[in-house]
Amino acid sequence: MTTDTPARLLTLLSLLQTPREWPGGELADRLGVSRRTVRRDIDRLRELGYPVQATMGSDGGYRLVAGKAMPPLVLDDEEAVAIAVGLRAGAGHAVEGVDEASVRALAKLEQVLPGRLRHRVANLQAATTPLTSGDGPSIAPETLTVMASTVAGRERLRFAYRAGDGVESRRVTEPYRLVSTGRRWYLVAYDLDRDDWRTFRVDRVSEPFATGARFAPRELPTGSAAEYLRRSMQRRGDSYEIVVAFDAPVEVVAARLPQWLGTPEPTDDGASCVLRATVSDAVEWMAVRLAMLGVDFRVREPTELVECVRGLGTRLVRAAADR
């Protein structure tokens, strides 16, 4: 009989997290305890916030169901490795949907992974090559996890940085937020040496180091890290404005656009919409992105994007005609 209650509860929780219903008798046999003890343990899990549902019957069963809040999960070795590998693969590029929350999850998971599992994750990732890669530059997942940890812990971050013109420097910062634009990751932080806010492209960061020194968060001038990044790119001339009209209702287009492009504005007839956005990606990539939405559109601005879309359309028509 298992007398270690915490260990027994973790084992019980691990069993309940599988997508099936467990008869009380089977749980008792698995745990080496009585059915009465199983019922008491179920009550303890409920008190801890785990929504365990019981069914009536001669051998009443139990299963974990969706609740109002996300309780802690118990993962076995294989599950932990699988999740870590997936998060690390996604974190290497600024993939749509893999935002700061995913990086924070990876940082938390890698912090508690035993050494043997960390080794398995590293070996598996090193031994595999993805068939396709993201559009943006590759980033070491360790860089993102260190940054995410310092953002969450309000801990000063030191790193080496290579600017766009190739100039290298050492920075000591108070990290505020990580921002993904869909192709790249950026760090918005207060630069202590320059006594001002700065944005840093994460793919140009190396040797990130959490100093352990805590700080009280400063108030960002714009209130939003995404807005600060947008204005920063405009000042540096790294971005340009696009105006695109779509022959589809706003709800259809908004569902297909990546979130970082914003929400289009509906026209008076409600059958079409117009997108005005600030972007920093190459016009060639923007042309492909718009074409992949599956909605008829017309580029109004800028002229460079108009010409790029026209050239792309001509090549695609020619490719389809040469069958």
Side-chain angles (χ1 to χ4, degrees):
M1 180 174 179
T2 304
T3 57
D4 186 345
T5 301
R8 191 176 65 246
L9 286 176
L10 287 174
T11 303
L12 174 60
L13 181 57
S14 180
L15 293 172
L16 291 174
Q17 283 177 169
T18 57
R20 56 160 291 188
E21 182 171 299
W22 290 87
E26 187 174 349
L27 287 176
D29 292 340
R30 287 284 194 115
L31 299 173
V33 297
S34 66
R35 296 189 185 187
R36 182 178 178 182
T37 299
V38 169
R39 289 194 295 269
R40 286 202 303 264
D41 287 348
I42 293 292
D43 289 338
R44 291 190 181 99
L45 289 179
R46 287 169 175 162
E47 291 172 359
L48 292 172
Y50 293 94
V52 182
Q53 185 181 75
T55 56
M56 304 299 292
S58 58
D59 196 29
Y62 302 94
R63 66 187 183 96
L64 201 62
V65 298
K68 296 181 180 180
M70 179 68 183
L73 298 177
V74 176
L75 305 173
D76 61 29
D77 287 3
E78 287 71 24
E79 292 165 342
V81 169
I83 292 174
V85 169
L87 288 173
R88 284 170 64 92
H93 298 279
V95 181
E96 291 169 27
V98 182
D99 53 13
E100 186 187 349
S102 300
V103 177
R104 290 200 310 270
L106 177 58
K108 291 178 181 178
L109 180 58
E110 292 201 334
Q111 182 179 0
V112 298
L113 276 181
R116 69 180 191 283
L117 298 188
R118 256 194 224 106
H119 186 64
R120 285 176 59 184
V121 170
N123 285 346
L124 182 56
Q125 190 170 34
T128 57
T129 301
L131 180 62
T132 59
S133 61
D135 294 305
S138 181
I139 301 170
E142 293 81 1
T143 298
L144 284 171
T145 54
V146 170
M147 288 183 167
S149 297
T150 57
V151 169
R154 298 176 179 176
E155 186 177 349
R156 287 180 178 174
L157 176 70
R158 186 172 67 237
F159 54 85
Y161 191 69
R162 176 181 50 81
D165 57 6
V167 175
E168 298 185 354
S169 60
R170 306 289 300 187
R171 305 297 182 97
V172 180
T173 65
E174 294 177 352
Y176 184 79
R177 286 289 187 278
L178 282 165
V179 181
S180 168
T181 65
R183 290 182 68 237
R184 294 190 180 100
W185 285 100
Y186 290 84
L187 174 69
V188 176
Y190 192 86
D191 192 318
L192 294 175
D193 292 331
R194 289 151 183 80
D195 197 24
D196 199 4
W197 290 94
R198 291 288 189 272
T199 60
F200 303 94
R201 270 181 51 173
V202 176
D203 59 292
R204 294 175 178 168
V205 169
S206 60
E207 303 173 44
F209 178 74
T211 66
R214 306 290 177 176
F215 65 89
R218 303 172 190 263
E219 184 177 354
L220 191 66
T222 60
S224 163
E227 176 63 17
Y228 183 84
L229 175 62
R230 186 186 69 81
R231 295 185 185 182
S232 176
M233 290 190 299
Q234 284 182 325
R235 289 194 301 269
R236 296 197 306 262
D238 292 345
S239 62
Y240 55 94
E241 299 289 332
I242 65 170
V243 180
V244 183
F246 295 95
D247 295 333
V250 62
E251 58 271 16
V252 173
V253 177
R256 302 184 183 189
L257 281 174
Q259 292 183 354
W260 57 271
L261 274 176
T263 303
E265 303 169 358
T267 55
D268 293 337
D269 61 7
S272 59
C273 59
V274 177
L275 173 68
R276 293 178 173 83
T278 301
V279 299
S280 61
D281 299 303
V283 291
E284 294 83 3
W285 185 87
M286 279 306 307
V288 173
R289 160 59 68 189
L290 293 170
M292 291 174 60
L293 294 178
V295 176
D296 290 343
F297 67 93
R298 292 178 302 282
V299 178
R300 296 178 180 173
E301 297 178 14
T303 303
E304 294 82 2
L305 183 56
V306 173
E307 295 299 325
C308 189
V309 169
R310 183 179 291 121
L312 175 63
T314 300
R315 289 193 297 274
L316 292 176
V317 170
R318 190 163 54 242
D322 293 342
R323 295 183 59 184

